[in-house]
Amino acid sequence: MIKKLSFLLLIAVVGVLSATAQIINPVTWDSSVKMTGDKSGEVIFSATIDAGWHIYGLTTPEGSGIQPTEVIWDKLEGVELVGELTPSRPAHEEMDVVMNMKLGWWEKDITLVQKFDVTGDSYKISGNVKFMVCSANTCQPPTKEPFEFTSGTSSAESGKASAEVVEVTISAAANASYARAAVVSFIAE
């Protein structure tokens, strides 16, 4: 009886904490692979940023403590990156009076594109988009959003690598739901 009561009390506390703690997730990332040729393609990262928030550009002043938006490539099997990560538009630049330095950032949305060449019959691409989101009042700690893409295998008919267009939606809200489910699962054991 005491075990059941303790378990119910723990569930109630977790429920109250989950209900009162708001997870602020002002950025949602969508990522996809688009094949532009038989052996070439693009990894496309699109961020939707809530009103009043911004993410920093691809570069920030050294020693500023500001995390630039970057892609960390964990696995590049069967592909070779071509060129640099390219934003759909330049970052808005402005003198930040609090930091006393010129900073660049994007509001509303931004698309980042990385071109690649396929070097094998299939490929696997994975990693994280690392970014920092701020408003006029607060900044969140740097966040990593994972992505992973795997191509199809060689087609018997054409003899060419057939690459599936894979789309992955990555968001901190989904990660938070997973974390709550893991906590409930752990408690239930």
Side-chain angles (χ1 to χ4, degrees):
M1 179 69 176
I2 292 177
K3 270 188 166 183
K4 282 185 181 181
L5 189 55
S6 296
F7 177 73
L8 291 174
L9 180 61
L10 187 58
I11 292 293
V13 169
V14 169
V16 169
L17 290 176
S18 294
T20 58
Q22 292 184 5
I23 296 173
I24 299 173
N25 181 26
V27 181
T28 301
W29 288 91
D30 292 318
S31 61
S32 62
V33 167
K34 175 184 171 187
M35 294 307 295
T36 56
D38 288 341
K39 292 284 189 177
S40 60
E42 299 174 335
V43 181
I44 303 166
F45 305 98
S46 299
T48 303
I49 306 161
D50 289 351
W53 292 87
H54 60 267
I55 62 172
Y56 289 99
L58 298 178
T59 60
T60 57
E62 225 175 285
S64 67
I66 303 293
Q67 170 65 50
T69 300
E70 66 178 323
V71 174
I72 301 165
W73 305 97
D74 294 334
K75 189 170 283 191
L76 294 169
E77 292 177 359
V79 297
E80 184 175 287
L81 300 181
V82 176
E84 300 290 323
L85 184 66
T86 306
S88 57
R89 67 179 187 279
H92 165 80
E93 290 191 351
E94 191 174 306
M95 185 66 174
D96 186 301
V97 293
V98 174
M99 298 294 291
N100 195 29
M101 62 181 69
K102 192 174 189 178
L103 295 172
W105 62 78
W106 295 293
E107 297 175 329
K108 297 182 185 173
D109 57 39
I110 187 64
T111 300
L112 307 172
V113 176
Q114 176 64 62
K115 294 181 180 183
F116 67 89
D117 286 335
V118 178
T119 59
D121 289 337
S122 63
Y123 63 82
K124 184 170 185 173
I125 302 171
S126 67
N128 293 279
V129 179
K130 188 174 182 181
F131 65 99
M132 186 171 175
V133 60
C134 295
S135 70
N137 303 320
T138 186
C139 287
Q140 293 186 357
T143 303
K144 289 182 180 180
E145 294 293 339
F147 61 86
E148 183 174 288
F149 306 102
T150 304
S151 71
T153 56
S154 292
S155 167
E157 291 177 29
S158 66
K160 297 179 183 174
S162 62
E164 295 177 35
V165 175
V166 182
E167 194 163 317
V168 179
T169 302
I170 48 181
S171 73
N175 291 341
S177 295
Y178 176 78
R180 281 194 296 274
V183 167
V184 170
S185 173
F186 176 75
I187 291 169
E189 292 176 1

